[in-house]
Amino acid sequence: MTETISSTPPAVVSALFEHVADRDAAIAHFRGRLGFESDVSDVAAALAEADHGFVLVDTRSDAAWAQGHVPGAVHLPGRRIAVEAAARIPAGTPVVVYCWGPGCNGATRAALEFALLGHPVKEMLGGFEYWVREGFAYDTADGGAELAPDALTNVAAAGLGGGAVADGAITCAC
């Protein structure tokens, strides 16, 4: 069933919208966020390209890296970026960083370090947690691994409709 919404604005506006950005500010804000962030599905799709044009950096600890990481990622813990990045990642190379998950700001701090070094940089929203939850393969100290997609994060891959699965790449179901 399709719900119809009136073309007339409501007479009473929720308190939630007492303070809301105007159109131009909203456009600038959300366009800006897209310049700083990407989700795991978009990163996975980009990594599947032969020449994806960026370096994916796992900014977590050695123990977390051994537990699991995105295949092809470079391991460079956040606290070592300022000292080691120049020797490991060519200047000006675009970088996508990730940490554990949405409850951790390690990737945000790492993105700042890469920006200070002059790299174009984005943060992978959801981090390694959502990489695994969306059903993407990952590497561990003991070899490769993969879990079934979590239906709460990727309804298409879980067989519940939504986005498409094409050439093995899962697309966002939103």
Side-chain angles (χ1 to χ4, degrees):
M1 182 171 109
T2 304
E3 183 178 345
T4 304
I5 298 176
S6 171
S7 61
T8 306
V12 177
V13 177
S14 165
L16 181 66
F17 284 86
E18 281 181 27
H19 303 285
V20 65
D22 64 34
R23 176 188 178 276
D24 292 341
I27 290 169
H29 171 78
F30 293 113
R31 184 172 283 142
R33 284 192 62 189
L34 291 171
F36 299 116
E37 304 166 343
S38 184
D39 64 30
V40 296
S41 293
D42 289 343
V43 171
L47 287 172
E49 298 172 12
D51 184 15
H52 48 269
F54 66 92
V55 174
L56 182 63
V57 178
D58 184 315
T59 68
R60 299 172 304 139
S61 69
D62 293 339
W65 171 264
Q67 182 184 31
H69 55 273
V70 176
V74 169
H75 183 225
L76 186 55
R79 68 185 177 283
R80 298 187 343 221
I81 292 170
V83 175
E84 296 180 26
R88 300 189 55 198
I89 300 171
T93 300
V95 173
V96 175
V97 296
Y98 71 90
C99 195
W100 172 247
C104 174
N105 67 0
T108 303
R109 288 190 310 269
L112 174 59
E113 289 298 321
F114 276 108
L116 289 168
L117 294 171
H119 290 270
V121 61
K122 286 192 175 199
E123 181 178 356
M124 184 173 82
L125 294 177
F128 183 68
E129 176 189 356
Y130 275 69
W131 183 272
V132 173
R133 288 183 72 186
E134 289 200 22
F136 295 114
Y138 59 97
D139 291 337
T140 72
D142 298 323
E146 186 173 351
L147 298 176
D150 179 338
L152 295 176
T153 64
N154 199 312
V155 297
L160 301 174
V165 177
D167 299 327
I170 301 171
T171 61
C172 183
C174 37

